[in-house]
Amino acid sequence: MNNEDIQKLGKELKDILKIDTSPVAVRLVKADEEIPEGIPHIDDKTRHCQMVDNVRRLGTQFYALPEDHQCKGGAAVMGLMEMNPKLKSGEVYYNLNHFKTLDSAKTTMERVPMVPASSIKAVVYSPLEKATFKPDVILIIAKPKQVMELSQALLHKSGGRINSGFAGKQSVCADGVAYPYLSGEAGVTIGCSGSRKYTEIQDEEMIMSVPVDMLADLVESAESMFGTYAC
């Protein structure tokens, strides 16, 4: 797919399912790759979940380096840096009383999807319908019914199931980006304390993430099932 194809599919997906905000194109730029040309550098230090939320609502496009990420846990699971030992061990969440024991916190953190540390040098963000690069993953923040329709469209051609794994931790970063990037599978997640505190993700919204290679079939099936002329 070229950039024009991706933009067209992004607009169609948004229109077909009547999603209020833009699907977000995310590319993890590997350490030995170049950052796509023409993409501005973000001018403010903030969190990955806030970056995604700003892109989907405001239509901004930019790339972020490791030092631009205010949430180092989010940056770490996407491969931009090593994870803080206290976060990796579960100690941070245990001290926040999110777990009864340190062992339960550690067990959860051991299962968080993580891109190998320092294998990524930048993350590029754009509304899908404006993307001038090929993303790795598309994040769609939408209402449960729309996520249901997305799930049905993903399975329309080949069948199967959507495998969703989450813990209400590291949601928009680990579940939303690292999981589909590593697995090549679509995923659904419900948000986390941080992403719901620092963004405008609404109580009635959730997150679906889709590898870009699934996009064309997803849109074709969505149009067939839910488009203007669908029965």
Side-chain angles (χ1 to χ4, degrees), residues 5 13 37 62 72 84 89 130 144 168 200-201 205 223:
D5 292 334
L13 183 62
E37 293 184 1
F62 52 82
K72 302 306 182 185
N84 181 294
S89 70
K130 297 180 181 178
E200 294 189 28
I201 297 174
E205 291 181 315
E223 173 59 37

Side-chain angles (χ1 to χ4, degrees), residues 49 93 168-172 189-197 207:
C49 56
Y93 288 125
K169 302 284 183 291
Q170 311 289 141
S171 184
V172 181
T189 187
I190 56 174
C192 58
S193 301
S195 61
R196 292 195 177 275
K197 177 179 180 180
I207 303 103

Side-chain angles (χ1 to χ4, degrees), residues 58-74:
L58 305 177
T60 52
Q61 184 183 63
F62 52 82
Y63 72 88
L65 301 172
E67 58 267 26
D68 300 318
H69 285 261
Q70 191 172 357
C71 174
K72 302 306 182 185

Side-chain angles (χ1 to χ4, degrees), residues 104-201:
S104 61
K106 181 180 179 182
T107 297
T108 298
M109 290 305 296
E110 287 174 344
R111 298 181 65 178
V112 170
M114 283 191 270
V115 179
S118 302
S119 63
I120 303 300
K121 70 178 183 183
V123 185
V124 189
Y125 303 82
S126 173
L128 185 60
E129 68 272 18
K130 297 180 181 178
T132 57
F133 58 89
K134 183 177 180 180
D136 294 306
V137 176
I138 299 149
L139 282 90
I140 305 163
I141 299 175
K143 296 176 182 177
K145 181 183 177 183
Q146 293 163 327
V147 173
M148 177 198 74
E149 292 171 341
L150 286 164
S151 301
Q152 292 173 343
L154 280 168
L155 303 179
H156 184 244
K157 288 191 175 182
S158 301
R161 293 181 66 84
I162 304 295
N163 295 314
S164 179
F166 53 80
K169 302 284 183 291
Q170 311 289 141
S171 184
V172 181
C173 51
D175 300 343
V177 175
Y179 173 75
Y181 179 81
L182 293 169
S183 70
E185 297 181 355
V188 174
T189 187
I190 56 174
C192 58
S193 301
S195 61
R196 292 195 177 275
K197 177 179 180 180
Y198 294 111
T199 75
E200 294 189 28
I201 297 174

Side-chain angles (χ1 to χ4, degrees), residues 28-83:
L28 302 185
V29 182
K30 296 177 182 177
D32 60 353
E33 293 178 336
E34 296 296 323
I35 296 170
E37 293 184 1
I39 307 293
H41 181 209
I42 191 171
D43 58 6
D44 190 22
K45 185 175 181 180
T46 187
R47 297 165 175 81
H48 163 75
C49 56
Q50 291 173 301
M51 296 180 193
V52 170
D53 190 48
N54 288 338
V55 169
R56 67 139 180 163
R57 292 186 299 102
L58 305 177
T60 52
Q61 184 183 63
F62 52 82
Y63 72 88
L65 301 172
E67 58 267 26
D68 300 318
H69 285 261
Q70 191 172 357
C71 174
K72 302 306 182 185
V77 298
M78 294 188 297
L80 289 160
M81 60 183 66
E82 293 281 350
M83 180 170 281

